Amino acid sequence: MQFHHQGYVSGDPRVQPAAGVGLDRPEELPDRVDVLIVGTGPAGMITAAQLSQFPDVTTRIVERRPGRLAIGQADGIQARSVETFQAFGFAQRITEEAYRITEMAFWKPDPEDPSRIIRTARPEDDPAGISEFPHLIVNQARVLDYFAEFMRNSPTRMEPDYGYEFTGLEVDDDAEYPVTVTLARTAGEDIGEERTVRAKYVVGSDGARSRVRQSIGCSLAGDQANHAWGVMDVLAVTDFPDIRLKCAIQSGSGGSILLIPREGGHLFRMYVDLGEVDPENHGAVRSTTIDEIIAKANAILSPYTLDVRNVAWHSVYEVGHRLTDRFDDVVAEKRGRRTPRVFITGDACHTHSAKAGQGMNVSMQDGWNIGWKLGHVLEGRSPESLLATYSAERQVVAQNLIDFDRQWSTLMAKKPEEFEDPSELEEFYVRTQEFPAGFMTQYSPSMLVAEAEHQDLATGFPVGKRFKSAPVVRVCDAVPLHLGHHARADGRWRIYVFADQAEAGGASDVAEFAAWIGDAADSPFAALPDGVAPNDWFDLKVVYQQKHSEVDLGAVPAEFKPPMGPFGLTDYEKVYAADPREDIFEARGIARSGAVVVVRPDQYVAQILPLTATEELGRFFAGVRGTAQPPSDVQLGDAAEPMSGAQAVSGATPSH
């Protein structure tokens, strides 16, 4: 985070200067908006948070509840989500208050006395070091609070509009604001009244019973629920020794428990196996009482006992795996011939069990994916065809999740004697850890993801997968840090230039690349509209192979030290060197001849090229280029004179 480049800042550096629509944001919901988001769950809030970084895009998010969510049901935060939180600026803070999963214990019937359970395995949660980020448990409501804070601090000063329920929509492709949305007031003095809002795009993040999904003719299809679980968040006294560890518990008497300790040191969640659902009477299992759930838990835990002193929340649910055939309003026969106007995210388009801890995590990636794409299209950075990639990319991810969850749920519901291998459950958990951690997503080639023709130049950055960070040393101040941790959710493309073996200042492929990207007609920088600096839309960084003390910062090409802010100060924080303790070139399989790694605004690798393949890089960005107009008169950090206090936090060209 850079600040003080417009003078002394005494306010909170996380508060960005208001700009664009944030300068005079109306409290009341407008009649016309660019994007209307329905639902303030994780998918909706991350979409809004991303769009809050686009000052000239009018985004509003509506919610039928009268206020913020107090207690959420989801709690599992996978490493990929914590990595995402880093981009939104709150990974460290939420980690400090969360429960951290480092091991998982497996309990099974004692072979000598099957009426008793014993611990059989206790593997590390991430033995292979898949991520430097932790696996957390924290209430969904806190995640939403952090996204809400990010929105409030953004240039657009975004806040949710509570007390509005979505009732329907109509689409007229010929209108300037094609989507007409009908809302009903659920709170306030005008409760019951209807409102009509016209939008250019609508994002439905309104859950498994989504009315937005219904309004575009989509339906969830898939397996019928056939197994039921009682879930309870409780405070209890117990002699079970692993009550503060994540556990998979299988009993000899039948039934199993997934135990999830909660943040704070005392509360824990239990998913208690209630058995097969009667296909003729689904309602019977839903009437299971909390006392029955507790009794079942005690039977499974034998010889240990559970004395529940307080029930914070409980429910009964049946496992079902359902998916929509599309994630937008374009039917198959019109695909490629019409622009999507309505999108659905999260539970509105995919449902599954809660035990794999994936629902909130995958939903947030849905929201981030569509959020930056809408911002780019509405600002003219990219063509409308970009929006078709949302459904194409995320539906495949959702199907993979359902396939994985079906396997995990089936294994969790098995009786111990049904396993051919007694270690099958824990071996599956260890073997598949990269998937639930959120790192198996790999987008197929499209206008946003190039063919992996040059993958051998950086084998540790698979094209289509998320950019896996690694340690480097910043040259200007000798600070060791993670290269990817400074990529913020600011809507910018990242271009990481990994240098060849030549020293800075000498004749090299890096020097020629810098000259091309700064001056060539086919450079992506050359196509920027008037008033937009390269650093506004692109984050260009260089990593040298030499030790940081051997890199002459003064000899580094000027393109890697761009001017920033109203005074045109030099940004020195884009020049890095390999850390000898963990050389990024070796750790990520980067060729010593160098490479260019292009990363999307949502952290997925879009292309890998040799340093000399400038023509190919130019063609790639030409394919995602829109028809952007010059920015509005007031842009982030565009003031002619230095600002004071919190208003002086960030310039038009943030470096991280």
Side-chain angles (χ1 to χ4, degrees):
M1 180 186 296
Q2 288 189 335
F3 51 100
H4 290 321
H5 55 267
Q6 303 187 55
Y8 185 73
V9 175
S10 61
D12 185 345
R14 290 174 298 194
V15 180
Q16 297 173 280
V21 299
L23 288 171
D24 191 21
R25 184 182 185 275
E27 289 188 14
E28 291 296 319
L29 182 65
D31 293 331
R32 294 189 175 190
V33 299
D34 293 321
V35 182
L36 182 69
I37 303 166
V38 181
T40 58
M45 289 295 277
I46 194 173
T47 307
Q50 175 62 94
L51 282 164
S52 73
Q53 292 295 293
F54 292 86
D56 293 319
V57 175
T58 301
T59 304
R60 304 293 286 230
I61 178 169
V62 296
E63 169 59 53
R64 62 182 176 82
R65 289 192 313 272
R68 66 175 283 273
L69 181 70
I71 301 174
Q73 296 177 13
D75 59 3
I77 306 293
Q78 305 292 349
R80 170 62 184 147
S81 293
V82 185
E83 185 176 76
T84 298
F85 298 161
Q86 177 72 19
F88 285 88
F90 61 85
Q92 184 174 354
R93 287 188 293 154
I94 202 168
T95 297
E96 288 176 351
E97 68 183 70
Y99 171 83
R100 181 170 179 176
I101 297 175
T102 58
E103 294 181 349
M104 181 169 179
F106 289 83
W107 288 74
K108 295 182 179 178
D110 185 343
E112 298 181 1
D113 181 1
S115 67
R116 301 166 55 90
I117 57 171
I118 59 171
R119 187 194 302 115
T120 58
R122 191 169 166 170
E124 291 181 51
D125 188 67
D126 183 12
I130 296 169
S131 175
E132 71 277 11
F133 289 100
H135 183 183
L136 305 177
I137 301 295
V138 66
N139 192 278
Q140 169 187 335
R142 293 296 296 135
V143 176
L144 304 185
D145 288 344
Y146 278 111
F147 279 127
E149 177 191 71
F150 181 89
M151 290 158 51
R152 284 194 302 272
N153 292 343
S154 73
T156 56
R157 297 295 189 264
M158 199 184 301
E159 297 267 5
D161 292 289
Y162 293 110
Y164 287 98
E165 184 173 26
F166 174 91
T167 59
L169 63 76
E170 294 180 356
V171 179
D172 177 2
D173 286 324
D174 296 326
E176 181 183 2
Y177 291 82
V179 191
T180 300
V181 179
T182 304
L183 304 170
R185 287 291 275 149
T186 60
E189 296 180 357
D190 54 350
I191 188 169
E193 292 185 6
E194 283 196 347
R195 274 289 309 275
T196 297
V197 176
R198 289 176 171 82
K200 293 180 179 177
Y201 301 100
V202 169
V203 180
S205 306
D206 50 340
R209 297 181 178 87
S210 170
R211 290 186 177 179
V212 177
R213 180 187 67 233
Q214 297 170 16
S215 72
I216 60 174
C218 281
S219 60
L220 289 168
D223 297 344
Q224 290 287 336
N226 60 6
H227 207 96
W229 297 80
V231 55
M232 56 181 181
D233 286 334
V234 299
L235 297 169
V237 174
T238 179
D239 55 353
F240 180 66
D242 289 347
I243 198 65
R244 296 307 298 171
L245 283 177
K246 181 181 179 182
C247 296
I249 305 165
Q250 295 175 301
S251 71
S253 59
S256 60
I257 290 174
L258 181 64
L259 169 64
I260 308 290
R262 300 297 300 267
E263 64 276 24
H266 300 285
L267 192 72
F268 58 87
R269 172 169 293 185
M270 281 185 165
Y271 292 95
V272 182
D273 184 0
L274 299 181
E276 297 294 320
V277 176
D278 181 356
E280 302 300 323
N281 187 3
H282 282 260
V285 74
R286 294 174 193 158
S287 62
T288 304
T289 66
I290 183 61
D291 289 337
E292 291 173 313
I293 296 172
I294 293 170
K296 181 70 172 178
N298 269 289
I300 294 170
L301 285 173
S302 177
Y304 305 103
T305 59
L306 184 71
D307 178 10
V308 174
R309 304 291 176 86
N310 178 264
V311 179
W313 173 80
H314 79 283
S315 183
V316 175
Y317 75 95
E318 301 144 69
V319 176
H321 303 95
R322 293 174 174 266
L323 178 69
T324 60
D325 61 339
R326 51 190 166 86
F327 287 13
D328 60 35
D329 66 329
V330 180
V331 295
E333 56 268 26
K334 292 188 177 181
R335 185 70 61 188
R337 296 191 290 114
R338 126 173 227 280
T339 298
R341 292 293 176 181
V342 183
F343 308 87
I344 50 177
T345 64
D347 286 354
C349 42
H350 49 79
T351 63
H352 34 81
S353 85
K355 293 186 300 302
Q358 289 293 294
M360 175 164 50
N361 298 275
V362 174
S363 296
M364 287 189 291
Q365 296 305 316
D366 290 348
W368 198 6
N369 186 295
I370 189 58
W372 75 265
K373 291 173 181 177
L374 285 168
H376 278 219
V377 169
L378 285 162
E379 281 198 345
R381 302 190 196 188
S382 297
E384 285 188 332
S385 57
L386 182 74
L387 300 177
T389 65
Y390 167 69
S391 184
E393 289 183 340
R394 296 307 298 173
Q395 189 183 26
V396 174
V397 173
Q399 182 63 64
N400 291 340
L401 165 59
I402 286 172
D403 292 343
F404 171 84
D405 184 58
R406 186 179 287 113
Q407 288 180 278
W408 177 245
S409 296
T410 300
L411 288 172
M412 279 296 299
K414 267 188 175 183
K415 296 179 180 179
E417 62 270 19
E418 294 174 344
F419 286 94
E420 293 183 12
D421 180 350
S423 301
E424 184 179 353
L425 183 63
E426 52 263 45
E427 288 178 358
F428 178 84
Y429 175 79
V430 173
R431 184 176 69 252
T432 62
Q433 279 181 330
E434 189 173 358
F435 185 93
F439 299 128
M440 286 298 288
T441 296
Q442 186 164 19
Y443 294 135
S444 299
S446 67
M447 66 184 294
L448 287 173
V449 179
E451 297 284 350
E453 180 182 352
H454 303 288
Q455 186 67 74
D456 60 313
L457 294 177
T459 57
F461 295 130
V463 174
K465 296 188 78 172
R466 122 285 186 195
F467 180 83
K468 186 177 182 180
S469 184
V472 290
V473 177
R474 195 162 55 203
V475 170
C476 68
D477 53 10
V479 172
L481 46 80
H482 256 268
L483 182 62
H485 292 193
H486 283 245
R488 292 292 183 243
D490 52 20
R492 290 189 296 169
W493 283 88
R494 263 78 205 176
I495 303 175
Y496 295 101
V497 179
F498 293 93
D500 50 17
Q501 292 178 302
E503 295 183 355
S508 66
D509 288 342
V510 164
E512 292 185 14
F513 177 89
W516 170 81
I517 204 166
D519 298 323
D522 59 340
S523 161
F525 290 4
L528 297 175
D530 292 341
V532 174
N535 203 39
D536 292 342
W537 286 9
F538 297 94
D539 183 13
L540 177 67
K541 288 181 166 68
V542 63
V543 183
Y544 286 95
Q545 297 185 34
Q546 292 80 14
K547 187 178 179 182
H548 69 277
S549 58
E550 298 171 2
V551 177
D552 182 356
L553 192 58
V556 171
E559 286 74 15
F560 301 119
K561 300 177 295 184
M564 66 179 298
F567 302 121
L569 303 179
T570 301
D571 185 350
Y572 294 107
E573 297 193 357
K574 293 179 174 290
V575 183
Y576 300 85
D579 189 333
R581 295 165 296 185
E582 188 176 346
D583 188 333
I584 190 172
F585 286 81
E586 294 181 6
R588 297 293 176 264
I590 303 169
R592 292 296 173 179
S593 58
V596 176
V597 179
V598 180
V599 180
R600 301 171 8 162
D602 56 356
Q603 299 180 331
Y604 286 88
V605 177
Q607 191 176 44
I608 292 174
L609 290 170
L611 293 169
T612 55
T614 52
E615 183 179 349
E616 196 172 344
L617 182 61
R619 284 200 306 269
F620 175 81
F621 278 112
V624 297
R625 185 182 306 147
T627 56
Q629 300 299 312
S632 61
D633 292 338
V634 182
Q635 285 281 344
L636 181 59
D638 201 27
E641 297 180 0
M643 294 178 285
S644 62
Q647 292 296 308
V649 172
S650 176
T653 53
S655 110
H656 302 314

